[in-house]
Amino acid sequence: MEQIKITRAAVLKEKPDCANLVFGKYMTDHMFIADYHEGQGWHDARIVPYAPLAIDPAAKVLHYAQEIFEGLKAYRTQDGSVQLFRPMDNVRRMNQSCRRIALPQVPEDLALAGITELVRLDREWVPSEKDTSLYIRPFVIGLDPTLGVHASRHCQYIVIVCPVGAYYPEGLNPVKIYIEEEDVRAVKGGTGMAKTGGNYAASLRAGSRAEEKGYTQVLWLDGVHRKYIEEVGAMNVMFKVGGKILTPDLNGSVLDGITRRSCIQLLKDWGYEVEERRISAEELFEAARSGALEEAWGTGTAAVVSPIGELARGEEKVCVSRNEIGAVTQRLYDVLTGIQWGREADPHGWIMKL
Ligand code: PLP
Ligand code: COI
């Protein structure tokens, strides 16, 4: 891999108050960019001062959403060092998303170096307040400045980073989730398993409607039968029913979450039976009515492990775990965040120290 050229910002920004962060609002001093041209491959890997991009108004990304992104975090440990959680999982998933959206693969060493070198340069921005971290947003965009619907021959891989606290204003208090029955987010064969902007654009209307009703996010049903539970806007979901853990299987329209993967591993380590399978909304509500639904939670990089205290479908509402965080949800939160912030042993080798 060629050397990354670094141009430092002449003036450094004032850092925000890390006790009161708004998710994704305060970008650091620098960003990473590499260009791709068909026939030439990836070139000009560089870190430059954070600034607006100059993009041709006809660029494919602006019209046909030729873009994919990732999300991971850098954590400040008690001894002041900085570490990443499973970054290669993000790099590999990024390339799977690229494949689906006809973007070029980013070589793994370049993809990882863009992340690690930017975090190293802006390491002063990794906050140390409780439950804060540096959120890392790598993304790839298609830039060909022509309006024909074709894959781009000029693309960029960019990484930006920002200090963040809790994603939800609720913090670790249970969130309220609304089951969306009108709009669908994704179907098998579509782009649901890719982390691409279009999926999120498709979710915005339902998200706003749910917020107006007082809900935090929507829970998507499958796009074909409109019956089976898929995932929440920014997280995968898990349920504890009659002592077992249930989570929707990776059916092609659900994101293969890295937090999901990690929670399944921890749950199995602790002896829980984990069923990855189709779960209908009806099955879930039936379990809630009979008292078998013991806990519900979401998993995601931004959302970490978020207890779900209420589920609503149409006029029917069910309260989960007395609207309190359940014991398994709490244990998952404690152990996962313990590993991420370096307070707990890392038996699966998930941590990369910087
Ligand atoms: N599902 C969706 C739609 C997401 O946006 C996210 C967030 O990245 C997740 C699930 C959770 O994935 P991960 O745990 O890799 O962050
Ligand atoms: C993440 O958890 O990294 C996400 O991408 C969620 C989101 C803010 C879209």
Side-chain angles (χ1 to χ4, degrees):
M1 198 191 83
E2 61 171 321
Q3 192 100 42
I4 298 173
K5 188 172 168 230
I6 297 178
T7 308
R8 285 171 187 268
V11 182
L12 299 183
K13 296 177 191 173
E14 198 176 317
K15 299 197 177 52
D17 167 12
C18 287
N20 293 299
L21 290 166
V22 176
F23 185 86
K25 181 167 176 189
Y26 304 102
M27 299 301 159
T28 63
D29 293 308
H30 299 94
M31 60 186 184
F32 172 91
I33 308 185
D35 278 272
Y36 171 91
H37 284 92
E38 198 175 272
Q40 187 182 0
W42 290 96
H43 61 93
D44 284 312
R46 57 202 185 271
I47 291 177
V48 293
Y50 187 93
L53 301 171
I55 289 187
D56 192 291
K60 305 278 187 216
V61 59
L62 298 178
H63 301 269
Y64 309 126
Q66 199 191 10
E67 89 96 38
I68 62 91
F69 69 95
E70 269 302 326
L72 68 160
K73 285 174 171 172
Y75 304 86
R76 174 84 63 191
T77 65
Q78 263 152 355
D79 67 7
S81 61
V82 172
Q83 58 188 31
L84 303 176
F85 182 74
R86 308 188 76 168
M88 284 313 291
D89 289 43
N90 291 92
V91 163
R92 293 193 190 108
R93 187 173 66 185
M94 182 168 89
N95 276 329
Q96 281 168 11
S97 298
C98 282
R99 221 168 280 138
R100 179 64 185 82
I101 307 298
L103 286 160
Q105 305 282 295
V106 185
E108 290 185 352
D109 57 348
L110 173 67
L112 185 65
I115 294 167
T116 55
E117 295 319 294
L118 180 61
V119 174
R120 283 199 176 103
L121 186 64
D122 279 345
R123 64 186 298 135
E124 293 296 311
W125 285 83
V126 183
S128 51
E129 282 77 358
K130 189 173 180 300
D131 300 329
T132 61
S133 54
L134 188 75
Y135 184 76
I136 305 168
R137 172 53 63 86
F139 58 108
V140 183
I141 52 179
L143 287 171
D144 279 13
T146 52
L147 294 180
V149 182
H150 300 285
S152 290
R153 285 171 299 203
H154 174 209
C155 303
Q156 280 182 337
Y157 167 52
I158 306 178
V159 187
I160 56 176
V161 294
C162 52
V164 297
Y167 182 66
Y168 297 123
E170 289 90 336
L172 200 52
N173 293 321
V175 294
K176 291 168 70 178
I177 299 291
Y178 190 81
I179 298 184
E180 171 64 26
E181 294 187 296
E182 194 180 328
D183 290 355
V184 295
R185 172 187 174 273
V187 290
K188 197 172 167 186
T191 58
M193 62 348 145
K195 214 162 157 57
T196 182
N199 292 339
Y200 298 80
S203 79
L204 296 176
R205 180 171 80 164
S208 303
R209 281 196 303 238
E211 275 172 28
E212 278 165 24
K213 294 193 187 99
Y215 289 87
T216 317
Q217 281 203 334
V218 305
L219 177 55
W220 297 103
L221 297 179
D222 78 284
V224 177
H225 309 280
R226 311 270 190 118
K227 260 169 57 182
Y228 301 102
I229 280 165
E230 299 228 305
E231 63 187 320
V232 172
M235 50 190 198
N236 297 106
V237 281
M238 297 187 178
F239 307 96
K240 181 160 175 267
V241 179
K244 276 196 292 203
I245 312 298
L246 308 185
T247 191
D249 55 343
L250 301 176
N251 60 357
S253 57
V254 173
L255 191 77
D256 179 0
I258 293 160
T259 321
R260 174 187 183 278
R261 218 180 271 177
S262 309
C263 287
I264 290 174
Q265 181 67 57
L266 292 174
L267 289 160
K268 288 185 174 166
D269 291 351
W270 301 336
Y272 284 100
E273 196 179 324
V274 183
E275 283 184 11
E276 297 178 58
R277 64 163 171 85
R278 267 196 340 192
I279 305 160
S280 69
E282 191 42 41
E283 175 183 350
L284 201 61
F285 273 70
E286 192 43 52
R289 288 182 212 115
S290 74
L293 176 61
E294 295 160 315
E295 293 183 44
W297 65 90
T299 66
T301 299
V304 195
V305 174
S306 287
I308 298 173
E310 183 182 319
L311 283 166
R313 182 174 59 147
E315 294 305 307
E316 186 174 5
K317 291 178 186 168
V318 294
C319 179
V320 190
S321 194
R322 297 178 307 283
N323 200 30
E324 286 166 12
I325 182 164
V328 174
T329 313
Q330 182 76 57
R331 186 175 180 196
L332 274 175
Y333 180 86
D334 290 343
V335 174
L336 188 70
T337 58
I339 296 171
Q340 290 168 333
W341 271 273
R343 296 185 295 259
E344 294 245 1
D346 170 30
H348 297 288
W350 289 337
I351 293 300
M352 176 185 282
K353 289 202 167 287
L354 281 192

